[in-house]
Amino acid sequence: MSGTLALNLSAQPLLESAAYALDSWQRGVLFLDTLRQRGNQLARELQKPAPTVLSFAGELVLDGRTLPRPVNYGLIRITPPAGTVIDERKRPFVVVDPRAGHGPGIGGFKPDSEIGVALRAGHPCYFIGFLPLPVPGQTIEDVMRAEQAFLEAVARAHPEADGRPVAIGNCQAGWQLAMAAATRPDLFGPLILAGAPLSYWAGEHGRNPMRYAGGLLGGTWLTALAGDLGHGLFDGAWLVQNFETLNPANTLWTKQYALYDRIDTEPARYLGFERWWTHHVLTNAGEMQDIVDKLFVGNRLATAELATREGERIDLRNITTPIVVFCSEGDNITPPPQALGWITDLYDSVDDIRAAGQTIVYMIHPNIGHLGIFVSGSIARREHEEFASNIDFIDVLPPGLYEAEILDGSGPGGHLLRFAAREIEELRAITRPDPEDDRKFATVRRVAEINLGLYRQFLQPLLRATVTAPMAEALRQLHPLRFQYSFFSDSNPAIAAVAPLAQAVAAHRRPVPDTNPWRQAEHAASAWIEAGLMLAGALRDHVQENLFHAVYGQKLLQSLVGLGARDEAVRRRPGLEPGQQAFRAARIRELQGRIAEGGPRAAFLRLVAYIGLAERRADERSFAVLRALWHSHGGGDLAAFKALLREQFLMLRLDRDAALAALPAMLGDLPPEGIPAFAEALRQVATAAPLHPAAAERLAEVEARLALLGAAPLQPAS
């Protein structure tokens, strides 16, 4: 018996080795078959006239190709899933997908998406997607005008809605929506910019390598080259390749190994995501050239240097609706400095923001990646749910700069949304503006203009005379990102033969447990490979960053391109310009002249703002009580409520003593016996959330003032 046991123990390593060899071979066959399915999936998608990964049904409302300036975009009304109740009186949500190389649908890719969250909150929902091919001659300004037409159509369809449509712009769609809102602010309700870059030079040393790409490539002439090789079309696969090279460990190993490692459970999720990731769309060459010249390298949006073809300046300070910026420290495509840097570019202080009547809210997630911001899976669902359910609260926030905070364990739904007032100096600690970096990127802009001019003079005429449409299409199909999908598909007979073998393997699958020593060795080897690729990527980024600063930090090069004087401003700072200062002074004078105007409703909102300013925070509980009181006393619609609250807040910020001294005159139409009810309503709002000690002191002060007013005759309001 002991001999039999010894024989079994000696055979155990052989049995484990044989089992692992069979398992790894089977996983290899199933892995190859999954790649085959991925290629076939893409081939089927390309046969559709309007491919999308949108998981919700919808109806086309407006085709952008029928507009006076046609574009390949369309407006779709989302059909709510069964059991979802929509309140037509709630303001509609409009989700706009990014057109940055991929096809449309990522904003409604999952049930827990931006669209799904808005539908569950009872809002009518619309989606703006696009077709794979652009309309000839289409420009980014044409797209901007189309989005304005879409918002007009949504507003017309919901005349009873309590406010203008909420627009959500994901990544590239974010800056497009911001441009549209800056030139037609009357069309938009709150803007939610998710992972959207608006300030392209911004970033932090050692963390944001993508911003150096334009300088290291010599500017934007390569974009022109790609457009000419595409016979007037720019291939979005190049943009996707830029994203993939940011993380070589994931691109070259981790993503594919995760499929191989978990081949029995992973294919469905893998193929679902690849359905979107593999479908690369096209843009007009001129359209893409404008984007990289004026935005990516030129950085002209954040400094109000862009203008429409009619000469109208595109100034983000013209946006009158609240702007919500959702970004993440874990996003290496749109890091927080690029999502938020436009604020410190345009404004010198929070007082400038208030004078412009603008409300800006930002939230920074600690670790979610770029796609997770707007795919809204389990990680970001909480944030999108809070934005959707509290959009009216956001819409009535007084002008200023706020950071959104979500507290767990309290409030409706288990979370509590509140807003903390912030100063520009606190935001600068995040955006890290650096005059020396600005000078280097301004040098890149000049070098890019020179190189693009040389390319257009000497090389572009030759390529345009040589490259034909069939040649361009052949080059697109040979792009590495496209070729891998066509190679691993049924169009390749060698790969098509894998299908029956994979069926047989699946029928006789023999997986080994993770305790198998060879399986453990495989996992260890994978971890080493991943770590090595991550190290190589970090080393590459470090070298590129140092090279960028070494080249574009040279005073000789800066002088050669016309940036020699060290005290010369290399970019506009609109917040410091005389025109902005004059506007601020005029706004202050106008408010000072009306500080004693208004009746009891205005006085009530002024006192609510006065108590709330003590803590510099506001949360959704106080807003819910305040809005209920406003409606119960016939206060009018949300727009009137919002305008009056904002104005009272500004008057308090401007001259608190004068604003409080005016209260007796403002309450002149209220009979003395109405004062106790007025004071009780004020207490309801103030105590809806736990009171900060300073706010409690102000509430007591206000109640004492009101008690005195109730005991003495009031002067009639003028």
Side-chain angles (χ1 to χ4, degrees):
M1 182 174 180
S2 61
T4 303
L5 178 61
L7 181 61
N8 288 339
L9 289 175
S10 64
Q12 187 66 22
L14 293 175
L15 293 174
E16 289 176 334
S17 298
Y20 174 76
L22 176 62
D23 170 61
S24 60
W25 177 77
Q26 288 183 330
R27 282 188 288 143
V29 172
L30 296 176
F31 173 81
L32 193 59
D33 188 61
T34 304
L35 296 186
R36 179 190 67 83
Q37 294 177 54
R38 181 187 69 170
N40 292 344
Q41 175 180 266
L42 176 59
R44 290 192 299 271
E45 289 294 314
L46 293 176
Q47 298 302 313
K48 298 178 181 178
T52 178
V53 295
L54 195 64
S55 62
F56 297 88
E59 175 188 0
L60 182 65
V61 175
L62 182 57
D63 187 339
R65 293 172 296 180
T66 65
L67 295 174
R69 289 156 64 169
V71 296
N72 65 332
Y73 281 71
L75 175 68
I76 297 171
R77 169 78 186 259
I78 298 297
T79 303
T84 302
V85 178
I86 300 300
D87 184 351
E88 294 295 332
R89 294 169 299 177
K90 287 189 172 183
R91 63 172 81 220
F93 273 62
V94 181
V95 176
V96 189
D97 250 14
R99 182 164 158 254
H102 301 291
I106 197 67
F109 179 52
K110 299 178 180 180
D112 282 333
S113 62
E114 293 162 334
I115 290 176
V117 166
L119 290 172
R120 285 199 298 273
H123 293 270
C125 201
Y126 291 79
F127 174 75
I128 297 177
F130 48 87
L131 299 172
L133 286 172
V135 173
Q138 171 182 315
T139 67
I140 57 173
E141 186 179 334
D142 294 337
V143 174
M144 181 185 81
R145 297 303 185 193
E147 288 171 344
Q148 293 169 347
F150 295 154
L151 265 291
E152 283 185 300
V154 171
R156 284 196 303 268
H158 299 272
E160 302 300 321
D162 192 9
R164 291 171 292 180
V166 179
I168 303 178
N170 295 316
C171 187
Q172 170 266 356
W175 56 256
Q176 267 192 352
L177 271 180
M179 292 168 64
T183 50
R184 285 293 308 275
D186 57 300
L187 299 176
F188 289 80
L191 281 179
I192 300 177
L193 308 181
L198 280 84
S199 185
Y200 303 89
W201 293 357
E204 185 177 347
H205 287 203
R207 294 195 62 188
N208 308 135
M210 196 172 185
R211 65 182 182 139
Y212 303 120
L216 295 174
L217 294 173
T220 64
W221 70 275
L222 280 174
T223 304
L225 173 64
D228 291 332
L229 291 175
H231 197 65
L233 293 173
F234 181 89
D235 188 355
W238 292 111
L239 297 177
V240 179
Q241 183 169 286
N242 287 341
F243 301 151
E244 292 201 333
T245 56
L246 282 174
N247 190 345
N250 183 69
T251 299
L252 299 176
W253 181 258
T254 308
K255 178 181 175 181
Q256 309 303 338
Y257 176 71
L259 173 63
Y260 174 74
D261 181 43
R262 302 188 293 270
I263 195 63
D264 298 307
T265 58
E266 183 70 5
R269 189 209 64 81
Y270 178 88
L271 290 172
F273 178 77
E274 289 292 298
R275 183 170 163 238
W276 175 73
W277 188 255
T278 60
H279 183 210
H280 308 130
V281 298
L282 307 177
T283 59
N284 286 324
E287 185 180 11
M288 192 65 209
Q289 194 68 44
D290 269 355
I291 292 172
V292 294
D293 283 340
K294 296 177 180 177
L295 301 176
F296 295 168
V297 174
N299 195 37
R300 300 180 189 276
L301 177 59
T303 51
E305 295 176 78
L306 291 180
T308 66
R309 66 185 67 174
E310 291 83 14
E312 179 185 6
R313 178 183 285 189
I314 301 175
D315 190 338
L316 300 181
R317 291 170 297 181
N318 293 335
I319 300 174
T320 55
T321 191
I323 303 173
V324 180
V325 180
F326 183 28
C327 54
S328 173
E329 291 283 0
D331 185 352
N332 61 351
I333 293 175
T334 306
Q338 292 191 6
L340 298 168
W342 63 275
I343 305 170
T344 52
D345 285 341
L346 287 173
Y347 295 108
D348 190 48
S349 70
V350 173
D351 284 338
D352 286 342
I353 297 176
R354 296 184 184 118
Q358 198 163 62
T359 302
I360 302 172
V361 177
Y362 67 90
M363 175 179 282
I364 304 176
H365 195 282
N367 51 39
I368 193 172
H370 183 69
L371 294 179
I373 290 175
F374 40 87
V375 170
S376 183
S378 58
I379 299 176
R381 181 179 61 227
R382 181 186 67 166
E383 285 79 2
H384 286 292
E385 285 177 343
E386 287 299 318
F387 290 150
S389 59
N390 289 285
I391 201 65
D392 288 340
F393 180 22
I394 294 171
D395 202 15
V396 299
L397 280 174
L401 178 66
Y402 302 87
E403 182 175 8
E405 302 171 332
I406 297 180
L407 307 180
D408 293 321
S410 58
H415 302 117
L416 176 68
L417 181 67
R418 73 178 185 185
F419 300 98
R422 295 286 183 252
E423 299 296 329
I424 284 289
E425 290 72 22
E426 296 173 274
L427 193 61
R428 287 195 179 105
I430 299 170
T431 61
R432 299 175 182 268
D434 185 339
E436 284 303 311
D437 274 9
D438 286 348
R439 181 168 292 275
K440 293 167 187 175
F441 283 104
T443 304
V444 172
R445 183 163 71 182
R446 300 279 181 91
V447 169
E449 292 168 353
I450 293 169
N451 287 341
L452 180 60
L454 291 172
Y455 169 79
R456 285 174 169 166
Q457 181 69 29
F458 296 107
L459 189 55
Q460 189 174 68
L462 175 63
L463 285 176
R464 288 188 172 181
T466 304
V467 176
T468 63
M471 289 173 59
E473 180 59 25
L475 289 173
R476 281 193 286 272
Q477 295 307 318
L478 290 174
H479 190 287
L481 291 189
R482 277 199 177 83
F483 183 72
Q484 62 175 317
Y485 305 127
S486 58
F487 181 85
F488 290 103
S489 71
D490 284 346
S491 62
N492 182 343
I495 299 299
V498 173
L501 179 59
Q503 291 178 353
V505 165
H508 300 86
R509 181 78 175 98
R510 297 291 184 272
V512 299
D514 287 340
T515 55
N516 183 290
W518 290 101
R519 195 86 163 92
Q520 293 175 342
E522 175 191 304
H523 287 157
S526 174
W528 277 101
I529 293 171
E530 183 176 4
L533 288 171
M534 290 177 66
L535 180 62
L539 179 61
R540 176 205 62 190
D541 294 343
H542 180 71
V543 169
Q544 288 182 346
E545 182 177 53
N546 287 339
L547 179 61
F548 176 90
H549 289 296
V551 172
Y552 290 101
Q554 294 181 66
K555 293 181 176 55
L556 176 60
L557 178 59
Q558 293 175 359
S559 298
L560 287 172
V561 297
L563 297 176
R566 305 303 294 174
D567 58 349
E568 175 191 355
V570 297
R571 64 185 300 189
R572 292 189 70 229
R573 292 289 182 188
L576 299 175
E577 292 178 351
Q580 176 64 18
Q581 302 303 320
F583 168 78
R584 176 181 171 186
R587 178 64 170 154
I588 289 173
R589 288 193 300 272
E590 186 255 338
L591 287 172
Q592 283 175 329
R594 296 192 294 109
I595 207 163
E597 294 179 2
R601 287 196 184 104
F604 187 85
L605 294 181
R606 184 175 295 184
L607 289 172
V608 167
Y610 173 64
I611 296 168
L613 283 171
E615 189 182 359
R616 300 180 73 239
R617 282 184 171 85
D619 72 39
E620 58 187 276
R621 294 170 294 190
S622 298
F623 169 70
V625 175
L626 177 61
R627 192 175 182 196
L629 285 169
W630 176 263
H631 283 302
S632 67
H633 289 77
D637 60 14
L638 181 67
F641 176 40
K642 171 182 174 180
L644 191 55
L645 178 60
R646 284 172 164 242
E647 189 168 87
Q648 299 310 309
F649 173 85
L650 285 173
M651 288 176 176
L652 274 168
R653 297 290 309 198
L654 177 63
D655 192 337
R656 187 180 72 182
D657 292 340
L660 295 177
L663 287 171
M666 297 174 70
L667 292 170
D669 291 335
L670 192 67
E673 59 270 21
I675 292 292
F678 183 94
E680 176 57 30
L682 187 64
R683 171 168 279 275
Q684 286 182 43
V685 175
T687 59
L691 271 179
H692 186 271
E697 288 182 13
R698 289 195 177 185
L699 175 60
E701 172 202 336
V702 167
E703 288 179 327
R705 283 175 179 255
L706 292 175
L708 290 174
L709 291 176
L714 294 172
Q715 296 298 320
S718 57

